[in-house]
Amino acid sequence: MTQIQRTRSQAYEASEDTGRNLSVNPTLGDVIAARFHRRDLLKGALGVAAISATIGPRALAAAVPAQAGATASRFTFKEIEAGVDANHRVAEGYDAKILIRWGDPVLPGAAPFDPMKQSAAAQKLQFGYNNDYLGYLPMPGAANPSQHGLLVVNHEYTNEELMFPGIGEQHAKNDFEKMTAEFVGIEKAAMGGSVLEVRRDAAGWSVVANSKYARRIDADTPMEMAGPAAGHPRLQTKADPSGKRAFGMFNNCAGGITPWGTWLTCEENFHGYFTGKLDPNHPEARNYKRYGVPDTYYVWGRFDDRFDISKEPNEANRFGWTVEIDPFAPASVPKKRTALGRYKREGAAGIVNKDGRYVIYSGDDERFEYVYRFVTSRRVDLTNRAANRDILDEGTLSVARYNADGSIDWLPLVYGQGPLMQANGFASQADIVIETRRAADLLGATQMDRPEDVEANPKTNKVYVALTNNNRRKAGDVNAANPRADNRFGHLIEMMPPDGDHAADKFGWEILLKCGDPSIAAVGAGFSSETTKNGWFGMPDNLAFDSNGGLWVATDGNSQKRTGRSDGLWTVETEGAARGTSKHFFRVPSGAELCGPAFTPDDETLFVSVQHPGESDDEGAPPTFENPNTRWPDFQPNMPPRPSVLAITKHGGGKIGT
Ligand code: FEO
Ligand code: CA
Ligand code: CA
């Protein structure tokens, strides 16, 4: 990060730009360079031909192949127009209504929201900021499980310039000069997560007031470290000499719902919350460098010593994990499941394998990072919820190598196997999971274009990876699974487990879509020819499947300048003649990002997160509390735009999208 960040999400993107992965796993460029003289490649004489010859047509196909015997689109809604304005837009015949916004009450006694008088104490009882992942869990015993349940919500990060009157952007260049202990307290209380009881009646969806399930989890909530790293000296701090009791979670991006009814929430860009300096010879120096700790997103360390690595050098090892929370037990202690590894973890979507074990996929969202998989040792017991309580503490973590022949090798991150031993600084599985990235480097995993959500289609068992973008990838760095240099618009990869076995050592893979405007040849996009000018998108992030196996893609990074469209939600056909066709269903207001699509089991409601409405688009003047770039959803004095969860339903009822 070398420049002033105008907005928090631009800061994130700048960091994701850094590409801290300095490992030397061969890229396709190396392979090509070994076969052809590099200078010829650079001159373009061999460019595309050489790449095609090396990685084959599979990865370079402009459009995905149609399959015989295919059917027409499963999505019959009338597509919206792509564009950017101050409001959200949903397909004709649908309603998108606000369910809850930043500052609305979650817990009993919550003060009415007043952003002019916000306090940490008030925020602890109110809905947090920047809602991201959403998970819906039907209420056991409900008359209609699709009309009464729990909605779990991640609160990823905070925007000081839009939350606090009179302070504007705060960042390293102005030395966070207007930050105070109280503002930091509000930020810590506004992150983490919320549990809401929600119900649908004739008037629509609402949050049940004073529910016994209502919960706020924030950056100070006591948690338990579980799994192979629990209690390890590298996790011990002054406040927790046991190394087993963590405090809080933050930057909770995407997540997952387990079949036993718990919520997995993932700590993504944890590095940016730590400040201070570490002696270059400190035992954690190599580890922290690989994760980009410290950074300058926030200045919490000025007011709370545990975020200053010079004062509490192990605290940053206690973040970057997947947290499991039982939303049906409001007093339960959240558990950080260290067996799943530590990185800038995007999500934790899973599927029960045909042998009964639970398989969780995820990306490490930074340029040139990896795709991971975790397979439990034990089988899920769907008849006895308690039997699955600690099932995520034992299993095999592995990382993906995408081979140019269309196969994937899942490389196990297991202590004592291959290079993962003492000679390389790993003394136990605890060291492997704490330094997951470095272990994966040694195994030769494939460097990807910012892997975000990875989700299995429960109908077909195929698994989809969203790669957002990577404008740092040079022509010499392309590999079969990341075939575009300067990949500004991202792509979607499809992975095929053999015979639907998600625990297999080897998968197949193909590119489903290369994103961006297909009408501009130089972009090299690969949507089907049926895709309209509204139907294409860039920067895929969150993925969801409806119960029919239909794929829905949410985006992060579209804007007037980049793609002439806001972020939003698109459907994508994955099977049959329509494969590779996408359609635009919903878009967010100016400056916002769309996250967390979640369906009720009957597909009649789709919950979505509208994150950071009013943030700056592109390089426009930085918005402020007083002067945001949108007043969505309605104008009120002294009220900035508010991150919100919306419930989308169809007029007269029926499944969303059909
Ligand atoms: Fe928080 Fe990778 O998005
Ligand atoms: Ca995300
Ligand atoms: Ca996102």
Side-chain angles (χ1 to χ4, degrees):
M1 220 165 22
T2 55
Q3 56 200 8
I4 292 178
Q5 286 91 44
R6 291 187 188 280
T7 67
R8 189 68 68 195
S9 65
Q10 284 171 353
Y12 279 36
E13 187 157 334
S15 173
E16 283 150 356
D17 224 19
T18 307
R20 292 189 180 82
N21 189 349
L22 303 175
S23 68
V24 291
N25 302 337
T27 63
L28 180 68
D30 298 326
V31 177
I32 296 170
R35 294 180 55 189
F36 302 98
H37 199 284
R38 193 166 201 98
R39 198 175 47 207
D40 292 332
L41 261 182
L42 294 175
K43 281 193 300 193
L46 285 168
V48 171
I51 294 167
S52 300
T54 309
I55 67 179
R58 178 190 295 275
L60 285 178
V64 285
Q67 291 181 358
T71 55
S73 171
R74 67 173 75 211
F75 301 110
T76 54
F77 66 89
K78 187 177 170 201
E79 184 169 55
I80 63 167
E81 273 201 45
V84 179
D85 64 43
N87 290 306
H88 67 268
R89 307 281 171 191
V90 67
E92 194 178 300
Y94 291 82
D95 285 319
K97 289 189 177 165
I98 291 176
L99 176 70
I100 190 167
R101 296 176 289 186
W102 169 47
D104 284 342
V106 171
L107 291 168
F113 181 57
D114 181 352
M116 301 300 286
K117 295 183 192 155
Q118 184 63 328
S119 68
Q123 180 66 75
K124 275 186 172 285
L125 307 180
Q126 298 166 339
F127 194 62
Y129 203 77
N130 274 345
N131 31 261
D132 195 308
Y133 175 80
L134 302 172
Y136 178 86
L137 299 102
M139 186 64 70
N144 183 336
S146 290
Q147 297 191 356
H148 184 199
L150 298 183
L151 193 67
V152 296
V153 185
N154 287 3
H155 298 295
E156 190 183 24
Y157 68 102
T158 49
N159 289 76
E160 287 126 3
E161 77 282 11
L162 294 173
M163 293 171 72
F164 305 132
I167 78 165
E169 290 275 331
Q170 297 293 298
H171 41 60
K173 290 273 181 179
N174 61 22
D175 193 32
F176 295 91
E177 59 185 357
K178 293 188 175 163
M179 288 307 289
T180 63
E182 184 65 17
F183 285 151
V184 167
I186 295 168
E187 290 187 326
K188 288 165 75 181
M191 291 193 204
S194 294
V195 179
L196 311 170
E197 183 179 352
V198 293
R199 195 187 272 278
R200 183 181 187 181
D201 60 20
W205 282 94
S206 59
V207 176
V208 176
N210 300 318
S211 165
K212 67 177 178 181
Y213 299 106
R215 188 167 186 187
R216 275 303 325 281
I217 294 148
D218 62 33
D220 289 304
T221 303
M223 306 200 167
E224 183 182 325
M225 302 299 311
H232 193 278
R234 298 178 74 180
L235 266 51
Q236 295 169 1
T237 65
K238 291 186 202 80
D240 173 30
S242 75
K244 292 182 176 171
R245 189 176 152 82
F247 304 101
M249 61 182 194
F250 46 76
N251 213 269
N252 296 81
C253 191
I257 297 296
T258 65
W260 53 97
T262 62
W263 166 28
L264 301 178
T265 171
C266 302
E267 299 174 323
E268 193 190 26
N269 287 299
F270 66 94
H271 65 293
Y273 296 70
F274 294 91
T275 48
K277 278 201 169 67
L278 217 52
D279 184 302
N281 297 316
H282 189 281
E284 297 299 344
R286 173 173 62 177
N287 164 28
Y288 285 1
K289 185 165 190 240
R290 185 67 182 82
Y291 289 98
V293 175
D295 208 326
T296 52
Y297 292 9
Y298 294 98
V299 73
W300 294 5
R302 189 175 291 172
F303 305 96
D304 184 342
D305 283 354
R306 74 184 172 105
F307 297 100
D308 181 339
I309 58 170
S310 55
K311 294 175 178 160
E312 195 57 271
N314 283 346
E315 185 71 9
N317 277 338
R318 292 144 62 89
F319 294 88
W321 302 105
T322 301
V323 186
E324 185 175 20
I325 299 169
D326 183 350
F328 292 102
S332 61
V333 176
K335 294 183 180 178
K336 297 200 176 187
R337 298 295 185 187
T338 66
L340 278 66
R342 170 174 170 266
Y343 44 91
K344 294 177 190 176
R345 189 177 185 115
E346 174 73 20
I351 189 164
V352 178
N353 197 31
K354 59 185 187 179
D355 63 8
R357 290 181 289 171
Y358 195 55
V359 179
I360 296 174
Y361 294 97
S362 85
D364 180 352
D365 182 10
E366 189 171 324
R367 284 160 174 76
F368 302 107
E369 292 302 336
Y370 307 132
V371 171
Y372 293 90
R373 180 186 73 175
F374 180 79
V375 182
T376 59
S377 299
R378 287 191 284 138
R379 292 185 174 87
V380 177
D381 185 343
L382 295 174
T383 64
N384 177 9
R385 188 167 190 257
N388 308 304
R389 185 179 296 134
D390 292 316
I391 195 172
L392 299 181
D393 285 343
E394 287 170 46
T396 304
L397 178 66
S398 48
V399 64
R401 181 174 63 211
Y402 294 80
N403 302 310
D405 66 359
S407 68
I408 294 169
D409 289 309
W410 288 105
L411 311 168
L413 290 149
V414 175
Y415 172 70
Q417 290 190 18
L420 306 182
M421 54 180 60
Q422 190 80 49
N424 287 314
F426 300 104
S428 66
Q429 188 64 21
D431 287 331
I432 304 286
V433 294
I434 291 168
E435 293 189 76
T436 303
R437 282 184 169 183
R438 196 168 66 81
D441 295 343
L442 291 169
L443 295 180
T446 301
Q447 300 179 355
M448 311 296 286
D449 287 345
R450 286 187 59 197
E452 306 244 28
D453 270 6
V454 185
E455 301 250 353
N457 183 336
K459 287 287 183 196
T460 64
N461 275 312
K462 294 177 186 172
V463 184
Y464 295 84
V465 187
L467 289 313
T468 289
N469 57 25
N470 184 352
N471 62 4
R472 292 289 174 93
R473 191 178 287 281
K474 303 283 189 284
D477 295 331
V478 296
N479 59 50
N482 302 272
R484 285 195 289 184
D486 189 18
N487 181 7
R488 286 168 191 261
F489 305 105
H491 55 292
L492 294 174
I493 286 179
E494 180 178 69
M495 308 197 286
M496 291 80 80
D499 301 321
D501 179 7
H502 291 272
D505 295 337
K506 219 170 175 77
F507 281 20
W509 69 272
E510 298 193 29
I511 288 181
L512 171 65
L513 272 185
K514 285 187 275 182
C515 303
D517 186 346
S519 73
I520 302 172
V523 168
F527 292 89
S528 85
S529 59
E530 300 300 305
T531 303
T532 73
K533 66 180 174 34
N534 302 306
W536 62 267
F537 56 84
M539 303 84 159
D541 183 347
N542 300 126
L543 307 176
F545 290 95
D546 58 37
S547 63
N548 199 28
L551 174 59
W552 296 69
V553 179
T555 64
D556 170 11
N558 290 267
S559 68
Q560 184 66 51
K561 186 176 167 192
R562 291 175 175 177
T563 55
R565 55 202 59 207
S566 288
D567 279 322
L569 195 55
W570 281 261
T571 57
V572 176
E573 301 281 353
T574 57
E575 304 292 324
R579 180 173 156 96
T581 304
S582 66
K583 280 178 75 176
H584 199 1
F585 179 76
F586 178 81
R587 65 175 157 98
V588 292
S590 177
E593 171 185 345
L594 194 279
C595 319
F599 289 92
T600 50
D602 63 3
D603 289 341
E604 294 212 7
T605 300
L606 172 58
F607 295 103
V608 296
S609 270
V610 178
Q611 197 183 60
H612 57 75
E615 236 192 29
S616 174
D617 269 351
D618 304 322
E619 275 83 48
T624 60
F625 180 98
E626 290 76 16
N627 191 22
N629 74 5
T630 175
R631 287 285 182 179
W632 179 85
D634 50 22
F635 179 82
Q636 290 178 62
N638 296 326
M639 186 62 74
R642 294 159 75 180
S644 305
V645 175
L646 276 57
I648 299 177
T649 54
K650 193 173 185 177
H651 296 166
K655 289 178 182 292
I656 305 289
T658 62

